[in-house]
Amino acid sequence: MRRQVGRVAVAVAVVGAVVSGCGGPDQAGSAVIVGSDAVPLGQVQSQLDTALAKTDQIAQITAQGGTTADLARSIVTREVLHDLLQRRAAAEGIVVTDAQIDAELAGSGGTDAVVDGSLYDATTLRQRVRDDLTAAQLAQRSVGGLAVTVDLVGATSRADATAKAQTLAAGGPAADALFNDPRMSERGTSVQAASNPNEASSVLFGVPKGSVVAFQPNPQESTWIVFRVTDRRTDAPSDPATVSNMSQSQLTAIGERLLQPDAERVGVRVNPRYGVWDPIQLRVVAEDQQAGIVLQPGFTAPAAAPATAG
């Protein structure tokens, strides 16, 4: 369970006051709507109040430059993932028992010890552990056969990456021309999830065949990557040992990434006071912190505005 606490710390390491404001999703009083499921503002505020009452942990987060606004966004993110995990668990018959949660907590010194070291109360903590175990089971069922093949193009800015993504998605000679420079492009790169657990938890494995993605791997650098998924397999052969050697935290992250198509299908509408849903990072972020764009299969570039006489 120490790994669980570590993941909690990472999730809120970037946590000021929550941005005030009104409006947002159609259902009044909701922090986020996943499909037709609304998470009430009061539910998020209650969890935020619990976290803020743990002054020692909050002091550490603040010392690292974290803000309350980002903490609130992390709470909303977890509610989105919780909803999506419940849907997938019901669809695939994944069950996590109370005994499994008890065992996970006992391995870290018991519920009281873990609650004292986290930002959660006991009820929320158990939900988070259940979610992590559910995500890990989901990954165990799928990761062994997952493989993608992509065409890659480098870019030097968000504008450059967006333009190249739209060109690549549109196809044709202009898209082919993006690969003329082998120093900035590569075609037919295959990646197997079981052998690359870190990549398996990234957007690379979260979009369907035909999608085009532009993203910035490291915000501290100017490099952007644009890729098109040319093939996505769920039955690729792999060594079973590679899956069994994965840590639970890796499996949990992969399982969460597998929810990305579900989020796209049902829709995630975030109250603007918290930000927006970013499919690249698979979390709620401030509107100006989106890491890139995802163009779904069938994307058509917007037509140029007609010239006006004058």
Side-chain angles (χ1 to χ4, degrees):
M1 186 59 207
R2 281 188 293 271
R3 290 192 300 270
Q4 305 284 357
V5 176
R7 294 186 73 247
V8 170
V10 170
V12 300
V14 267
V15 276
V18 176
V19 178
S20 60
C22 55
D26 296 336
Q27 293 174 308
S30 58
V32 63
I33 299 178
V34 184
S36 59
D37 299 338
V39 177
L41 283 169
Q43 183 172 321
V44 170
Q45 187 62 48
S46 177
Q47 293 183 45
L48 183 60
D49 290 343
T50 296
L52 293 176
K54 299 194 173 188
T55 54
D56 289 344
Q57 290 91 327
I58 292 298
Q60 293 177 11
I61 291 169
T62 302
Q64 298 173 18
T67 70
T68 306
D70 287 329
L71 175 54
R73 282 190 278 269
S74 290
I75 292 171
V76 179
T77 295
R78 293 310 314 178
E79 290 299 323
V80 173
L81 295 176
H82 172 68
D83 185 285
L84 296 173
L85 282 165
Q86 283 189 309
R87 293 168 184 263
R88 183 66 76 89
E92 299 195 13
I94 295 174
V95 176
V96 173
T97 66
D98 288 340
Q100 288 174 291
I101 297 172
D102 292 339
E104 191 73 11
L105 291 169
S108 299
T111 299
D112 291 343
V114 178
V115 167
D116 287 344
S118 76
L119 294 172
Y120 299 143
D121 59 22
T123 299
T124 304
L125 175 65
R126 291 184 68 86
Q127 177 177 299
R128 296 296 181 254
V129 174
R130 186 183 299 276
D131 286 348
D132 283 355
L133 294 175
T134 300
Q137 284 194 39
L138 176 61
Q140 286 174 323
R141 293 184 176 195
S142 306
V143 68
L146 282 177
V148 296
T149 303
V150 295
D151 294 338
L152 300 161
V153 178
T156 56
S157 67
R158 179 183 289 272
D160 185 32
T162 300
K164 287 179 175 177
Q166 293 179 345
T167 299
L168 193 58
D176 291 336
L178 293 175
F179 299 94
N180 288 342
D181 185 352
R183 298 170 300 175
M184 292 288 291
S185 62
E186 187 174 335
R187 283 187 135 158
T189 298
S190 294
V191 185
Q192 191 165 40
S195 304
N196 301 274
N198 292 333
E199 286 81 358
S201 64
S202 75
V203 67
L204 189 69
F205 282 85
V207 293
K209 178 180 177 180
S211 301
V212 174
V213 176
F215 73 107
Q216 189 177 27
N218 185 348
Q220 306 304 316
E221 300 177 359
S222 60
T223 302
W224 284 69
I225 294 176
V226 181
F227 70 83
R228 174 177 57 195
V229 180
T230 60
D231 191 30
R232 189 179 191 277
R233 297 182 58 185
T234 58
D235 60 351
S238 65
D239 182 356
T242 59
V243 178
S244 62
N245 288 333
M246 288 183 187
S247 68
Q248 182 168 301
S249 61
Q250 287 176 322
L251 288 170
T252 297
I254 293 169
E256 290 175 353
R257 178 57 65 177
L258 293 175
L259 301 172
Q260 185 175 339
D262 300 350
E264 177 67 26
R265 176 176 53 81
V266 304
V268 177
R269 292 175 287 161
V270 180
N271 189 312
R273 70 163 61 187
Y274 299 112
V276 296
W277 178 253
D278 183 358
I280 304 291
Q281 301 177 68
L282 208 68
R283 60 179 293 112
V284 177
V285 301
E287 190 169 5
D288 62 350
Q289 296 299 313
Q290 296 180 73
I293 60 171
V294 176
L295 303 180
Q296 298 294 334
F299 167 84
T300 301
T308 57

